Amino acid sequence: MTSSVSFQNLLTTIETKRARAGVIGLGYVGLPLAITIAKAGYKVTGFDIDPSKIIAIDAGRSYIEAVSDDVLEEVRQDDGFVATSDFSKLADCDVIAICVPTPLTKYREPDLSYVEKTCRDIAAHLRVGQLIVLESTTYPGTTDGVVKTILETSGLTAGVDFFIGFSPEREDPGNRDFETSTIPKVVAGDGEAAGTLMTAFYGAVVKKVVPVSTTATAEAVKITENVFRAVNIALVNELKVVYEAMGIDIWEVIDAAKTKPFGYMPFYPGPGLGGHCIPIDPFYLTWKSREYELPTRFIELAGEINTGMPRHVIGRVAEALDIHAGKALSRSKVLVLGLAYKKNVPDIRESPSLKLIELIHERGGEPFYYDPYVAEIPKTREYSALMGMQSVAWRKEVIGAFDAVLIATDHDDVDYATLVEWSPLIIDTRNVFARRGIAAKHILKA
């Protein structure tokens, strides 16, 4: 039975903006969310286990493109936003949002260790009258089956002493047409009281909230959004291979098809999937579906196609070197242009460029990379051997020394016209030259 006192007190605290919000995980999702909450008038405490992030925030330096130093400094005034690694301060927060990674294991199964550890940290400091929200993408049933279960080890009861909800993040790094406050926010609570609190809090933070009936429904919304993209990208990746064999340019096909004003939405092929959502989240659903003995054929097939694209691209690179340069990949120096998973951002999470570099090395070639946004490869979960590798210099004598340049990410800050002059062979996976009206015999598509 819901405690009317704890519910009403928390609702009033939220509505009057006297609530303090806590955001756990100050990365690409958490930091913009924390800033947005602070700009809405709430006091915010950000939590992270990475001391370098705390130091940067304390110095007024943002490490996320979506948050400028000026905005960060603005919300830090009068302690509007503070950052800490002291999780005991969770007890001071009325609303706590969990924005931690949900990666896959090497067997493509959900790795909820970050969520579980965070929930144990919260449980150690949980008190009556708090709202705990999971924002990390996961499979349907996580909020109820994992978050609630761990939090109730505190001895408090969800829906009575404290409240829980789920609201999936919808960040799109590098997209300046939208920001956290202007993207509609799907919200759900575990029970009617929690749902009311979720709508009240997020309704004060973003321009539009979209309430749904259960936390599992909200979790399914996020998975559906990402499955939709993964399947459609896999479709055009498969069509690219088929049309390539027929001598048809998939990019020209898509450009013509998208002129249809109804019944079609353009998706584009590439060297593989990157980012924190599309390459990972669909597999959360395939894993969960096994519990119900139901196959997810479209999702699994899309995963096979998309994860196979880096090998297809490297095959095309080897073929191009053989035909156009008379040289084997095993004796070639190849420059991967673009390390980030999408253009104009420094985000390398799940970037296919890392796999491309690994595959070039596996086939005996010498891989290098150039990226104006990523000076050095940081520590990653799957590509630890690449840590410390640095971007080459953008100079004629450097770029011209490579046997081939592989365009993996189409950053706008690259002088592609000059690249054509400097490089003897270019393999373009992003159609970047055709889009700029640049044509040359040594530019090939892959």
Side-chain angles (χ1 to χ4, degrees), residues 95-123:
V95 180
I96 299 171
I98 302 170
C99 304
V100 298
T102 48
L104 294 170
T105 69
K106 64 180 180 179
Y107 303 110
R108 289 192 181 172
E109 294 182 345
D111 177 4
L112 292 180
S113 59
Y114 297 94
V115 171
E116 293 167 349
K117 172 65 167 58
T118 300
C119 288
R120 287 194 291 271
D121 289 336
I122 296 172

Side-chain angles (χ1 to χ4, degrees), residues 324-347:
H324 295 273
K327 196 171 185 179
L329 175 56
S330 60
R331 295 185 294 108
S332 299
K333 293 172 62 178
V334 179
L335 178 68
V336 175
L337 196 153
L339 192 72
Y341 84 88
K342 66 182 295 190
K343 69 178 184 178
N344 305 334
V345 299
D347 192 346

